[in-house]
Amino acid sequence: MFAAAAAGRAIPKLCATDMLEAFGSCRVCLVEIEDRNGYPASCTTPVAEGMKVSTQTPALRRLRHGVLELYLSDFPPSEIPDGWSEFHETLKAEGVTESRYGNGRNHFDATIDQSNPYFLFDPAKCIVCSRCVRACAEVQGTFALTITGRSFESKVAASQDQPFFESECVSCGACVQACPSHALVEKSLFEGEYRHAEPAKA
């Protein structure tokens, strides 16, 4: 991924950043490598001399669209058109505007954690990319965040699944800076009370 960026070929990503170790969980940065099977994550694939990599092919576009649509299926619908997070920019760049997987289970009614005086956590916007967890561990060294549960039940939790302000969080802001979907966001960006986005009406 970083070799491609240095060569002027940006590869879409959601779980990777320059300040964190490669993780390979979002499956958006997939590439094709000549003479190799499958579609490896570019962030965890070391570059090698003579390697021939394709970053934009019909197969890769289909895979990325499918992954992004899955994320979109559990994201508040009314937050999609006018969003300005890294997640929204990735959707726009890849031309994904809706999901084929809607009307299923979702986290839209998850409780917003506003206990911290500086930022809030809206689980409805969380795509469980683990960037906040890794930023807390790798950048700050606090290890206050973790991912609990599996599959649909996976979620970001502070300490022993406590409100952020009651946890070991030191309010450094590393998690907020790392979050690509504004699930973690500074309170100063909002006037008045922050509320869940209402689901779009049919």
Side-chain angles (χ1 to χ4, degrees):
M1 172 185 290
F2 300 112
R9 297 289 185 89
I11 299 174
K13 57 184 174 58
L14 286 175
C15 71
T17 76
D18 293 341
M19 66 179 184
L20 300 175
E21 293 292 327
F23 197 60
S25 68
C26 75
R27 313 314 293 173
V28 174
C29 72
L30 304 180
V31 294
E32 292 182 10
I33 301 176
E34 189 174 284
D35 297 326
R36 289 196 192 181
N37 294 325
Y39 303 91
S42 60
C43 65
T44 56
T45 302
V47 68
E49 185 176 354
M51 180 182 285
K52 294 182 179 180
V53 181
S54 296
T55 61
Q56 296 289 344
T57 68
L60 289 173
R61 282 192 288 273
R62 286 194 299 271
L63 288 169
R64 286 175 184 151
H65 277 224
V67 170
L68 289 170
E69 285 183 51
L70 284 171
Y71 285 129
L72 206 54
S73 69
D74 194 18
F75 199 86
S78 61
E79 292 285 347
I80 297 169
D82 301 318
W84 43 278
S85 69
E86 183 179 339
F87 175 58
H88 288 89
E89 292 303 315
T90 301
L91 291 173
K92 293 174 185 176
E94 294 300 311
V96 177
T97 58
E98 58 185 6
S99 174
R100 293 166 288 175
Y101 311 112
N103 302 319
R105 297 174 66 193
N106 59 60
H107 296 89
F108 298 162
D109 294 329
T111 302
I112 302 170
D113 184 348
Q114 302 198 58
S115 62
N116 190 286
Y118 307 111
F119 64 84
L120 59 85
F121 174 52
D122 186 347
K125 295 182 182 179
C126 180
I127 61 173
V128 199
C129 65
S130 297
R131 269 168 54 165
C132 60
V133 176
R134 291 149 55 216
C136 187
E138 297 174 24
V139 177
Q140 182 63 22
T142 303
F143 300 91
L145 303 180
T146 189
I147 301 292
T148 65
R150 301 183 66 178
S151 187
F152 181 80
E153 304 301 331
S154 297
K155 66 175 184 177
V156 171
S159 295
Q160 302 300 312
D161 204 5
Q162 300 167 279
F164 269 77
F165 197 59
E166 297 175 14
S167 72
E168 297 173 346
C169 171
V170 296
S171 302
C172 70
C175 60
V176 177
Q177 182 180 1
C179 181
S181 62
H182 288 170
L184 284 156
V185 65
E186 293 181 18
K187 288 183 174 180
S188 61
L189 297 177
F190 302 94
E191 294 183 4
E193 182 182 0
Y194 177 90
R195 297 181 180 180
H196 270 307
E198 294 295 329
K201 295 182 179 180

